[in-house]
Amino acid sequence: MLTALRRHFPEGKIGWVVEERVAPVLAGHPDLDELLVVRLDAWRRRPFARRTLRELGAFVSSLDRFAPEIVLDLMGNHKAGVIAALTLSDHRIGFARKHRREPSSAVWISQGVVPQGAHAVDRALSLLDALGLPPEPADFGGEKLFQEEPEAAREIFAADPKPYVLLHPGAGWANKVYPPAWWGRAARRLHLETGLPTWVAMARGEEKLAAGVEAEGAGAVRVVPAPDLPTLAALIRRARLMLGGDSGPTHLARALGTPVLMVMGPTDPARHGPYGAPEGALFEKLPCSFCYKRLPETKACLLEIPPDRVAEKAMELLG
């Protein structure tokens, strides 16, 4: 979306409201004039705290200073809708009511667009129809993301410069998480057949997942700290292949141009698989498939995909 807007409006002023935890994805982006950071998760926990009220006031003031003529609501929920309304812009564009995550949030927008296409990326880009822009192939502008490689990542590569496959085993929903032991078995087979080790990118709070992969993977697996998004991006960029589920890091790998293998369960590959690379989605179609339900544990849709099948698909993608 950002790349398309800058291409068509080279002199335009573009800002993006983003949650604090993912703000590093856009930090320093050359197509972006202003990054407007919110801390909604923290504000919800302590809505009447002095710090919350102070930060909320500062955020509203930043919207007032930016004073956008046009607002694009990409989320389709009340959170994004309220922020759009706070800009006081007369032109607030978003998905039409029945196509929104939260249909009642259509009250906050002034123009509804019926999304086109199957994939979430194409559906989001169809909001540009309201600006009279022609449909074009998606361009993630991966070279513009995370342009500085962190020192911590450089130290990792200096200590071990050999090729590797990268795995991010976590996901936002428990039923999107492929069993860590099974990832380990797949890594073991992959190492046996190709000689490539699997590095597990471990974020804070994912120590147990990483340990589960490492225990089953034996000498084929190495756990590598990835405490922040810039370090994770550096690991992704140098990887021969990125393994993971339907999660932010795996989609980020696709944007950065690294080949991906996305092992998918409750979500539809046609809508949320690796964009433009359907061969990178591995899934098992069952009568209950693509339920989009958040459940507390891994279900049959993932458990029907054995580790050997994951390893074989990875080898296919590696050529």
Side-chain angles (χ1 to χ4, degrees):
M1 181 67 76
L2 177 57
T3 304
L5 287 170
R6 180 54 71 204
R7 184 166 59 248
H8 289 285
F9 303 109
E11 303 302 322
K13 184 181 177 185
I14 304 175
W16 198 323
V17 177
V18 63
E19 183 67 52
E20 182 182 49
R21 61 190 169 80
V22 291
V25 175
L26 292 170
H29 197 294
D31 290 343
L32 193 64
D33 294 294
E34 191 161 344
L35 192 59
L36 303 159
V37 179
V38 292
R39 298 194 335 119
L40 296 179
D41 293 341
W43 296 346
R44 281 196 199 97
R45 288 194 295 270
R46 303 186 63 194
F48 302 110
R50 182 176 300 176
R51 178 180 176 182
T52 297
L53 297 175
R54 184 173 65 249
E55 290 178 348
L56 183 57
F59 170 66
V60 173
S61 294
S62 70
L63 287 181
D64 184 56
R65 285 194 303 273
F66 192 84
E69 296 176 72
I70 299 169
V71 178
L72 296 170
D73 167 10
L74 305 184
M75 301 303 294
N77 56 18
H78 281 286
K79 176 170 66 173
V82 168
I83 290 172
L86 285 172
T87 67
L88 304 182
S89 168
D90 291 331
H91 301 287
R92 302 186 302 278
I93 301 166
F95 298 123
R97 182 182 181 91
K98 71 176 184 178
H99 300 283
R100 299 177 69 80
R101 293 184 187 182
E102 298 171 5
S104 60
S105 67
V107 68
W108 303 110
I109 64 171
S110 60
Q111 182 176 352
V113 173
V114 176
Q116 304 297 314
H119 199 281
V121 171
D122 291 322
R123 292 168 68 84
L125 287 172
S126 63
L127 290 181
L128 297 176
D129 294 348
L131 301 181
L133 302 184
E136 297 173 338
D139 175 11
F140 294 107
E143 73 283 354
K144 299 176 182 179
L145 298 168
F146 300 103
Q147 297 184 61
E148 295 293 327
E149 190 171 80
E151 178 63 29
R154 290 198 293 272
E155 291 175 359
I156 292 171
F157 302 136
D160 189 353
K162 295 187 293 295
Y164 62 91
V165 170
L166 187 68
L167 165 65
H168 186 275
W173 306 357
N175 55 320
K176 285 185 179 182
V177 177
Y178 193 67
W182 288 20
W183 277 126
R185 290 176 204 167
R188 207 166 59 210
R189 167 84 185 277
L190 191 58
H191 184 259
L192 180 67
E193 299 280 353
T194 69
L196 288 170
T198 295
W199 290 12
V200 182
M202 183 181 70
R204 295 185 184 94
E206 296 182 340
E207 294 83 0
K208 186 176 179 181
L209 281 176
V213 179
E214 185 178 37
E216 194 67 30
V221 170
R222 174 189 174 188
V223 175
V224 180
D228 52 53
L229 285 169
T231 302
L232 176 63
L235 291 168
I236 290 171
R237 267 207 169 98
R238 296 212 191 191
R240 290 281 308 279
L241 178 70
M242 174 76 173
L243 306 175
D246 177 10
S247 66
T250 320
H251 288 289
L252 176 61
R254 179 71 185 118
L256 292 173
T258 298
V260 304
L261 173 53
M262 189 179 291
V263 182
M264 303 189 68
T267 54
D268 186 351
R271 186 164 183 177
H272 289 106
Y275 182 78
E279 70 282 358
L282 183 59
F283 60 96
E284 183 68 23
K285 187 73 181 292
L286 302 174
C288 58
S289 281
F290 318 144
C291 66
Y292 281 89
K293 293 178 181 177
R294 297 189 184 213
L295 300 171
E297 59 188 12
T298 306
K299 297 295 182 181
C301 48
L302 284 176
L303 297 176
E304 290 290 324
I305 305 173
D308 278 344
R309 189 174 162 199
V310 174
E312 288 161 7
K313 184 65 175 178
M315 287 186 281
E316 177 188 321
L317 293 170
L318 286 164

